[in-house]
Amino acid sequence: MPLHGTYEPSTDDFSREQVELIERTNGAEGTTMRGMPVIVLVSRGAKSGKIRKIPLMRVEHDGQYAVVASLGGAPKHPTWYYNLVAHPHVELRDGAVVRDYLARELEGAERETWWARSVEAYPDYADYAIKTSRLIPVFVLEPVDPEVAEQHDSSADAGAGTHAGTAAVAGSDAGVVAGAADAGLPYEETEQELERIEKATELDDEIAEFWENARVQAGLGRIAVVGGLTVAENVAPVAWSFGDNPEQADRLLGLVLDGTKTATSSALSEYDGDDAPLPREGDLSIVVDGAGHPKALIRTTDVAVVPFGEVSDDFAAAEGEGDRSLEAWRTDHTEFFTRVLGLVTVPEDFMVVTERFELLYPR
């Protein structure tokens, strides 16, 4: 029988919109990525119990399907992996056909067989395996009668206890821009703490998924440069937000998305050369909104370090803020630097890192 419950759409725009297109057209549109077929996996949240939907690459053999928990080669499993562990009853949409399945994680020779089929269907999986130190989980989805699925759900609910919440965070490294979970916390933490960890994990997944979608849409090759590291050495570009508060982050992001803002500036003192190196031409960045959700992929096109008093009219206009005049730029950035850095004033010889960029996705 179909999974019932409250549907919580993905906060990743690309994934959510692709699922909506597939469902709206009953599988007539939206069922490919880079010319390769995709399916929609419907699962139940391990902790929340809410219905989740995600497009994944189609791997099918003799009426059975495989789903690969690659997360683009990230060092941890995607959130939906824990959904399937906690609630194996899933739905799968392949075009216009929707059926119930039971998910079973594979091991040994059976996993190797399905892994080979998965790589044949989507060769990037082989690259992801090189990127990560973990063994990427593979589930086989076996068709099941709706009545059997309903009995399985009833049995699982009866014995669920508090384990679903634990499964959702066990083994996950929830370090993200919005704040990382403390790996030393016991699983017996409060409901609030578990919710915080799950939220951090979801944001981490969202950034990895955004990167996979964005690089495909932007036409980046597998060996694209990412912050000085190749894709094989790094999972995703650095993710950050503009400004120092959610309102400012959303406002400036909006200017980037509408094409008004193509430059940004920061204090040279914020960089230390090791943990925070200066940006370089060709660097990629993921820009997140005030809530930490990824919204844009940009590439740095020019970097210069200049005194505050020598920032040009042209650069001030490229920052796209206010009336785009140099006078407005100086006023706004004097307020920002004094507030954030605790300066009394901003001298003319205060060194500023000026950075120009281009929007790669969406566009």
Side-chain angles (χ1 to χ4, degrees):
M1 62 178 295
L3 292 177
H4 293 293
T6 301
Y7 171 46
E8 183 165 314
S10 172
T11 53
D12 175 64
D13 294 340
F14 186 89
S15 295
R16 182 183 65 256
E17 291 169 3
Q18 186 171 22
V19 168
E20 290 173 352
L21 177 61
I22 293 171
E23 293 186 331
R24 186 171 65 252
T25 63
N26 197 29
E29 299 178 32
T31 54
T32 62
M33 178 183 292
R34 286 166 49 193
M36 291 173 280
V38 300
I39 54 87
V40 176
L41 177 68
V42 184
S43 64
R44 187 180 300 280
K47 180 181 180 300
S48 68
K50 294 181 179 179
I51 303 302
R52 310 280 188 163
K53 301 178 183 181
I54 184 171
L56 297 171
M57 305 313 295
R58 182 183 186 273
V59 183
E60 185 274 339
H61 181 76
D62 289 345
Q64 296 183 338
Y65 293 80
V67 288
V68 181
S70 66
L71 195 55
K76 68 181 195 63
H77 302 330
T79 300
W80 66 258
Y81 166 86
Y82 299 104
N83 296 350
L84 270 58
V85 170
H87 304 292
H89 174 210
V90 299
E91 285 178 20
L92 182 143
R93 171 184 283 274
D94 187 359
V97 179
V98 181
R99 285 203 58 177
D100 293 84
Y101 294 84
L102 287 181
R104 177 170 57 86
E105 188 172 359
L106 300 178
E107 297 179 345
E110 190 177 15
R111 180 195 176 279
E112 292 305 310
T113 297
W114 277 100
W115 175 256
R117 292 168 180 161
S118 301
V119 172
E120 182 179 5
Y122 186 60
D124 284 17
Y125 284 140
D127 292 339
Y128 301 161
I130 295 172
K131 278 198 271 182
T132 184
S133 59
R134 66 186 172 94
L135 182 66
I136 295 176
V138 179
F139 290 87
V140 64
L141 306 186
E142 299 166 320
V144 62
D145 291 334
E147 294 78 8
V148 175
E150 184 176 11
Q151 293 172 4
H152 186 278
D153 288 345
S154 299
S155 175
D157 290 342
T162 60
H163 298 294
T166 301
V169 298
S172 65
D173 301 322
V176 293
V177 173
D182 183 350
L185 287 173
Y187 292 138
E188 293 78 10
E189 275 297 322
T190 65
E191 188 76 8
Q192 268 189 331
E193 186 61 31
L194 287 173
E195 288 178 359
R196 184 183 70 82
I197 294 172
E198 185 176 46
K199 179 64 176 176
T201 303
E202 289 176 354
L203 284 173
D204 202 13
D205 286 1
E206 191 179 335
I207 288 171
E209 290 171 8
F210 177 88
W211 164 236
E212 282 308 300
N213 293 328
R215 77 179 183 90
V216 170
Q217 298 301 314
L220 298 177
R222 296 182 188 176
I223 312 299
V225 174
V226 182
L229 302 176
T230 65
V231 170
E233 296 167 328
N234 194 22
V235 174
V238 173
W240 49 266
S241 62
F242 288 104
D244 67 334
N245 60 74
E247 183 278 329
Q248 192 173 43
D250 289 341
R251 178 172 56 83
L252 298 181
L253 172 62
L255 295 176
V256 172
L257 294 176
D258 70 16
T260 302
K261 184 175 179 64
T262 59
T264 187
S265 54
S266 51
L268 179 61
S269 59
E270 294 183 67
Y271 303 90
D272 63 13
D274 293 321
D275 293 334
L278 283 172
R280 298 178 299 177
E281 181 180 347
D283 282 357
L284 300 177
S285 299
I286 292 173
V287 183
V288 302
D289 63 16
H293 301 298
K295 297 297 180 181
L297 176 66
I298 62 175
R299 177 165 53 201
T300 301
T301 59
D302 181 74
V303 179
V305 179
V306 299
F308 184 82
E310 294 182 18
V311 172
S312 68
D313 291 270
D314 179 64
F315 184 84
E319 283 231 28
E321 302 173 40
D323 64 5
R324 305 179 70 172
S325 68
L326 179 58
E327 181 181 1
W329 184 92
R330 288 174 61 88
T331 298
D332 290 346
H333 285 75
T334 296
E335 188 280 328
F336 180 81
F337 289 140
T338 54
R339 173 168 52 84
V340 173
L341 301 179
L343 302 176
V344 176
T345 186
V346 179
E348 292 293 289
D349 61 354
F350 180 78
M351 300 307 292
V352 176
V353 179
T354 61
E355 180 180 356
R356 295 178 187 264
F357 57 82
E358 60 180 337
L359 177 64
L360 298 181
Y361 176 80
R363 60 182 179 184

